[in-house]
Amino acid sequence: MTPFSDLARAAYCPRQLYYARRDDDRDVPGDAQSRIDLAFRYPTLVDAPDATLRRLPIRRSPAAYRRNLSRLRNRDDYDRLADPEHERAFRSGKDCHGTVHKVLAGESDADPPTPTVVSPGEPPENGVWEPQAVKAVAVAKAVAWEREREVPRALVEYPSVGTVREVRLTTRKKAAYRRALRAARAIDGPPSRVDDDRCSACDYRDRCGTGRRSFRSLLG
């Protein structure tokens, strides 16, 4: 059974996953965990004063952060984001398992639940980073397996920015998930080294031997 975090790493770089497994290095750094924890505090932060917000690990100015949370409060699912059906729940699917940060109940009994992945990092200009999309598909599939029903989408939260993005389980997204799953399962030695922009955001760049900020600080 493959952990969700391994799938995200495999989607980013299989060689990075090799090092993380070899060193048993799966803990979330303290600063990243502090940002993840913000996702469980939206109601208390949306009107928080500047002095309070400046003490928190947010990635925007207090005024910009409040504006983002105000927009978040206008979402149809805001109440469920702020008070999910389940928090930090372990879920096991057919192929992978791990902690799902939130599971939002459907708007009615007929609607599927929506799981979320919480990232401590910055979102891209549009959509989500591919490793996070792969992880979002994985958690959606695990919740679907548990509930014995289709879960067509997941959310990725960026609480240090105050932004939430949707990941639909499209054919393309599911294909990326399957590639990452195959890559994670196939590792039995160091995969081929890469040397591109990914390396500058990798915790293992020094020992890997590439010349190129941190994957964990970016994606969590």
Side-chain angles (χ1 to χ4, degrees):
M1 191 76 72
T2 305
F4 299 143
S5 59
D6 280 15
L7 287 177
R9 287 189 184 276
Y12 189 79
C13 174
R15 190 176 177 93
Q16 185 191 82
L17 174 57
Y18 165 77
Y19 285 120
R21 284 178 173 174
R22 188 193 69 179
D23 298 346
D24 194 21
D25 183 17
R26 290 188 172 90
D27 292 340
V28 179
D31 57 344
Q33 188 60 60
S34 294
R35 291 189 170 99
I36 288 171
D37 292 344
L38 296 174
F40 304 91
R41 299 177 58 186
Y42 294 142
T44 65
L45 298 179
V46 67
D47 296 314
D50 286 9
T52 297
L53 294 179
R54 288 195 184 101
R55 292 194 294 268
L56 299 175
I58 61 176
R59 296 179 180 271
R60 296 292 184 271
S61 69
Y65 190 67
R66 279 193 299 270
R67 283 196 298 272
N68 287 351
L69 288 188
S70 292
R71 284 193 286 268
L72 198 64
R73 192 161 51 177
N74 290 329
R75 290 176 59 101
D76 291 340
D77 58 2
Y78 173 76
D79 288 342
R80 286 174 286 135
L81 276 167
D83 185 20
E85 181 181 12
H86 299 288
E87 294 183 1
R88 305 183 207 253
F90 183 85
R91 294 290 180 265
S92 183
K94 181 170 68 74
D95 299 312
C96 52
H97 64 187
T99 298
V100 181
H101 289 113
K102 299 178 186 178
V103 180
L104 315 187
E107 291 189 61
S108 71
D109 291 341
D111 295 324
T114 301
T116 84
V117 171
V118 179
S119 167
E122 287 269 1
E125 186 173 344
N126 297 294
V128 306
W129 304 109
E130 181 166 318
Q132 293 169 343
V134 165
K135 190 173 182 179
V137 172
V139 301
K141 283 182 168 290
V143 172
W145 179 266
E146 177 196 59
R147 301 287 180 98
E148 298 183 334
R149 64 176 303 172
E150 182 182 11
V151 175
R153 70 182 191 122
L155 301 175
V156 179
E157 301 181 53
Y158 299 90
S160 64
V161 176
T163 297
V164 174
R165 301 278 174 84
E166 181 182 74
V167 176
R168 288 272 171 187
L169 271 67
T170 62
T171 299
R172 184 166 171 257
K173 290 287 195 300
K174 288 187 282 190
Y177 161 81
R178 289 193 295 271
R179 286 195 301 272
L181 185 60
R182 287 195 299 270
R185 287 172 167 174
I187 293 174
D188 60 2
S192 299
R193 182 183 289 113
V194 300
D195 193 357
D196 56 27
D197 289 344
R198 288 173 291 176
C199 300
S200 62
C202 180
D203 298 304
Y204 305 99
R205 60 192 178 278
D206 294 334
R207 75 192 73 176
C208 189
T210 62
R212 309 257 175 158
R213 248 181 39 147
S214 154
F215 171 83
R216 290 191 294 180
S217 68
L218 179 67
L219 300 177

mmCIF file of all heavy atoms in Angstrom, residues 2 7 13 24 29 47 72 98 124 133 152 154 156 165 170 182 194 203 217:
data_model
loop_
_atom_site.group_PDB
_atom_site.id
_atom_site.type_symbol
_atom_site.label_atom_id
_atom_site.label_comp_id
_atom_site.label_asym_id
_atom_site.label_seq_id
_atom_site.Cartn_x
_atom_site.Cartn_y
_atom_site.Cartn_z
ATOM 1 N N THR A 2 0.635 2.143 -0.900
ATOM 2 C CA THR A 2 1.505 3.306 -1.090
ATOM 3 C C THR A 2 0.956 4.524 -0.349
ATOM 4 O O THR A 2 -0.215 4.864 -0.515
ATOM 5 C CB THR A 2 1.625 3.640 -2.585
ATOM 6 O OG1 THR A 2 2.072 2.477 -3.292
ATOM 7 C CG2 THR A 2 2.604 4.781 -2.818
ATOM 8 N N LEU A 7 3.183 9.176 -3.375
ATOM 9 C CA LEU A 7 2.687 9.455 -4.716
ATOM 10 C C LEU A 7 3.033 10.873 -5.141
ATOM 11 O O LEU A 7 3.421 11.111 -6.294
ATOM 12 C CB LEU A 7 1.170 9.259 -4.782
ATOM 13 C CG LEU A 7 0.672 7.816 -4.746
ATOM 14 C CD1 LEU A 7 -0.848 7.802 -4.732
ATOM 15 C CD2 LEU A 7 1.180 7.046 -5.948
ATOM 16 N N CYS A 13 9.470 13.780 -8.459
ATOM 17 C CA CYS A 13 10.733 13.187 -8.904
ATOM 18 C C CYS A 13 10.909 11.839 -8.223
ATOM 19 O O CYS A 13 11.068 11.786 -6.997
ATOM 20 C CB CYS A 13 11.904 14.108 -8.555
ATOM 21 S SG CYS A 13 13.525 13.384 -8.918
ATOM 22 N N ASP A 24 14.006 7.253 5.619
ATOM 23 C CA ASP A 24 12.788 7.268 6.433
ATOM 24 C C ASP A 24 12.417 8.694 6.798
ATOM 25 O O ASP A 24 12.167 9.028 7.959
ATOM 26 C CB ASP A 24 12.976 6.426 7.698
ATOM 27 C CG ASP A 24 11.646 6.138 8.403
ATOM 28 O OD1 ASP A 24 10.588 6.224 7.726
ATOM 29 O OD2 ASP A 24 11.656 5.849 9.607
ATOM 30 N N PRO A 29 7.962 19.243 8.094
ATOM 31 C CA PRO A 29 8.716 20.216 8.897
ATOM 32 C C PRO A 29 7.787 21.088 9.735
ATOM 33 O O PRO A 29 6.629 21.335 9.360
ATOM 34 C CB PRO A 29 9.446 21.049 7.838
ATOM 35 C CG PRO A 29 9.479 20.201 6.617
ATOM 36 C CD PRO A 29 8.237 19.369 6.665
ATOM 37 N N ASP A 47 -11.491 37.802 10.271
ATOM 38 C CA ASP A 47 -11.609 39.182 10.769
ATOM 39 C C ASP A 47 -10.525 39.525 11.783
ATOM 40 O O ASP A 47 -10.658 40.486 12.546
ATOM 41 C CB ASP A 47 -12.993 39.400 11.406
ATOM 42 C CG ASP A 47 -14.123 39.263 10.395
ATOM 43 O OD1 ASP A 47 -14.005 39.838 9.301
ATOM 44 O OD2 ASP A 47 -15.109 38.568 10.702
ATOM 45 N N LEU A 72 -13.017 33.592 0.251
ATOM 46 C CA LEU A 72 -13.229 32.191 0.606
ATOM 47 C C LEU A 72 -14.567 32.013 1.315
ATOM 48 O O LEU A 72 -15.292 31.033 1.076
ATOM 49 C CB LEU A 72 -12.086 31.727 1.510
ATOM 50 C CG LEU A 72 -11.861 30.232 1.676
ATOM 51 C CD1 LEU A 72 -11.468 29.600 0.364
ATOM 52 C CD2 LEU A 72 -10.769 29.998 2.727
ATOM 53 N N GLY A 98 -3.343 7.050 3.766
ATOM 54 C CA GLY A 98 -2.715 8.145 4.460
ATOM 55 C C GLY A 98 -3.752 9.042 5.109
ATOM 56 O O GLY A 98 -4.935 8.693 5.198
ATOM 57 N N PRO A 124 0.149 27.710 -7.827
ATOM 58 C CA PRO A 124 0.544 28.290 -9.110
ATOM 59 C C PRO A 124 -0.471 29.354 -9.529
ATOM 60 O O PRO A 124 -1.499 29.540 -8.873
ATOM 61 C CB PRO A 124 0.532 27.096 -10.059
ATOM 62 C CG PRO A 124 -0.448 26.152 -9.456
ATOM 63 C CD PRO A 124 -0.342 26.336 -7.968
ATOM 64 N N ALA A 133 -2.006 17.646 -7.424
ATOM 65 C CA ALA A 133 -3.138 17.080 -8.168
ATOM 66 C C ALA A 133 -3.149 15.558 -8.046
ATOM 67 O O ALA A 133 -4.203 14.936 -7.862
ATOM 68 C CB ALA A 133 -3.070 17.496 -9.638
ATOM 69 N N PRO A 152 -15.980 12.572 -7.464
ATOM 70 C CA PRO A 152 -15.489 13.139 -8.714
ATOM 71 C C PRO A 152 -14.503 14.293 -8.574
ATOM 72 O O PRO A 152 -13.940 14.741 -9.570
ATOM 73 C CB PRO A 152 -16.770 13.619 -9.400
ATOM 74 C CG PRO A 152 -17.676 13.979 -8.266
ATOM 75 C CD PRO A 152 -17.375 12.980 -7.180
ATOM 76 N N ALA A 154 -11.747 16.728 -5.692
ATOM 77 C CA ALA A 154 -11.133 17.023 -4.399
ATOM 78 C C ALA A 154 -10.733 18.494 -4.422
ATOM 79 O O ALA A 154 -10.766 19.149 -5.465
ATOM 80 C CB ALA A 154 -9.921 16.135 -4.152
ATOM 81 N N VAL A 156 -7.724 21.403 -3.062
ATOM 82 C CA VAL A 156 -6.409 21.672 -2.486
ATOM 83 C C VAL A 156 -6.483 23.044 -1.826
ATOM 84 O O VAL A 156 -6.794 24.036 -2.488
ATOM 85 C CB VAL A 156 -5.288 21.642 -3.536
ATOM 86 C CG1 VAL A 156 -3.944 21.955 -2.880
ATOM 87 C CG2 VAL A 156 -5.231 20.273 -4.216
ATOM 88 N N ARG A 165 -8.340 25.591 -4.346
ATOM 89 C CA ARG A 165 -8.454 25.226 -5.751
ATOM 90 C C ARG A 165 -9.106 23.848 -5.878
ATOM 91 O O ARG A 165 -8.918 22.983 -5.018
ATOM 92 C CB ARG A 165 -7.072 25.198 -6.415
ATOM 93 C CG ARG A 165 -6.303 26.541 -6.343
ATOM 94 C CD ARG A 165 -6.741 27.483 -7.412
ATOM 95 N NE ARG A 165 -6.130 28.810 -7.285
ATOM 96 C CZ ARG A 165 -4.920 29.139 -7.747
ATOM 97 N NH1 ARG A 165 -4.169 28.219 -8.346
ATOM 98 N NH2 ARG A 165 -4.487 30.374 -7.625
ATOM 99 N N THR A 170 -10.372 14.129 -13.828
ATOM 100 C CA THR A 170 -10.470 13.978 -15.276
ATOM 101 C C THR A 170 -9.624 12.792 -15.730
ATOM 102 O O THR A 170 -8.801 12.248 -14.973
ATOM 103 C CB THR A 170 -9.979 15.243 -15.973
ATOM 104 O OG1 THR A 170 -8.582 15.439 -15.631
ATOM 105 C CG2 THR A 170 -10.774 16.470 -15.526
ATOM 106 N N ARG A 182 2.734 3.835 -10.525
ATOM 107 C CA ARG A 182 3.679 2.880 -11.121
ATOM 108 C C ARG A 182 5.117 3.241 -10.758
ATOM 109 O O ARG A 182 5.919 2.364 -10.426
ATOM 110 C CB ARG A 182 3.518 2.852 -12.646
ATOM 111 C CG ARG A 182 2.260 2.147 -13.128
ATOM 112 C CD ARG A 182 2.340 1.840 -14.626
ATOM 113 N NE ARG A 182 2.462 3.053 -15.427
ATOM 114 C CZ ARG A 182 1.425 3.729 -15.908
ATOM 115 N NH1 ARG A 182 0.190 3.308 -15.670
ATOM 116 N NH2 ARG A 182 1.617 4.802 -16.644
ATOM 117 N N VAL A 194 17.721 13.615 -12.548
ATOM 118 C CA VAL A 194 17.298 14.697 -13.421
ATOM 119 C C VAL A 194 18.117 15.935 -13.050
ATOM 120 O O VAL A 194 18.774 15.971 -12.015
ATOM 121 C CB VAL A 194 15.787 15.010 -13.280
ATOM 122 C CG1 VAL A 194 14.963 13.787 -13.626
ATOM 123 C CG2 VAL A 194 15.450 15.506 -11.877
ATOM 124 N N ASP A 203 14.893 18.860 -1.322
ATOM 125 C CA ASP A 203 15.675 18.742 -0.094
ATOM 126 C C ASP A 203 16.926 17.885 -0.273
ATOM 127 O O ASP A 203 17.832 17.937 0.552
ATOM 128 C CB ASP A 203 14.817 18.121 1.014
ATOM 129 C CG ASP A 203 13.628 18.983 1.359
ATOM 130 O OD1 ASP A 203 13.829 20.150 1.697
ATOM 131 O OD2 ASP A 203 12.485 18.490 1.279
ATOM 132 N N SER A 217 8.843 22.599 1.653
ATOM 133 C CA SER A 217 8.335 23.951 1.916
ATOM 134 C C SER A 217 7.394 24.411 0.815
ATOM 135 O O SER A 217 6.527 25.247 1.023
ATOM 136 C CB SER A 217 9.494 24.941 2.046
ATOM 137 O OG SER A 217 10.143 25.113 0.806
#
